[in-house]
Amino acid sequence: MNKSIQAQGFTLDKDQQELINKKLERISYAENLIVDLMVHVKEDKKFFFETTLNYRWGGNAHVAADDFDFAAALNKMMDVLDQKVKKDKDKVQEHNK
């Protein structure tokens, strides 16, 4: 899985970078299904997280979340991302049966 984390409007410090990587471990169960994972973080009064996934089977997923707090926005995004990955993984497994 290729990970790409970009910040716009501010510079990610080491702690923020590590927090993002730590949170992304939540979807490690689907690591073999994901080709690319791109996280884009923008700060404009709020923190906006947008994440795009490209799956091995050619599909993709896009999720977004925002909050005034960096960690809260990241947690919201991860909750949505985790649910989306589980749903897509289950759908592909059902199709392959």
Side-chain angles (χ1 to χ4, degrees), residues 22-57:
K22 184 175 182 275
K23 294 291 183 178
L24 287 174
E25 288 175 12
R26 237 172 98 178
I27 59 167
S28 63
Y29 61 86
E31 202 168 279
N32 61 337
L33 304 175
I34 300 168
V35 178
D36 297 308
L37 175 90
M38 294 155 283
V39 179
H40 187 82
V41 189
K42 187 169 93 173
E43 183 182 26
D44 183 22
K45 296 180 185 167
K46 281 183 167 183
F47 288 98
F48 296 90
F49 279 83
E50 292 184 353
T51 302
T52 303
L53 293 173
N54 293 316
Y55 293 110
R56 293 209 181 281
W57 59 86

Side-chain angles (χ1 to χ4, degrees), residues 18 26 48 57 61 70 81 83 93:
E18 287 174 0
R26 237 172 98 178
F48 296 90
W57 59 86
F70 182 88
L81 183 63
Q83 290 300 314
Q93 286 177 339

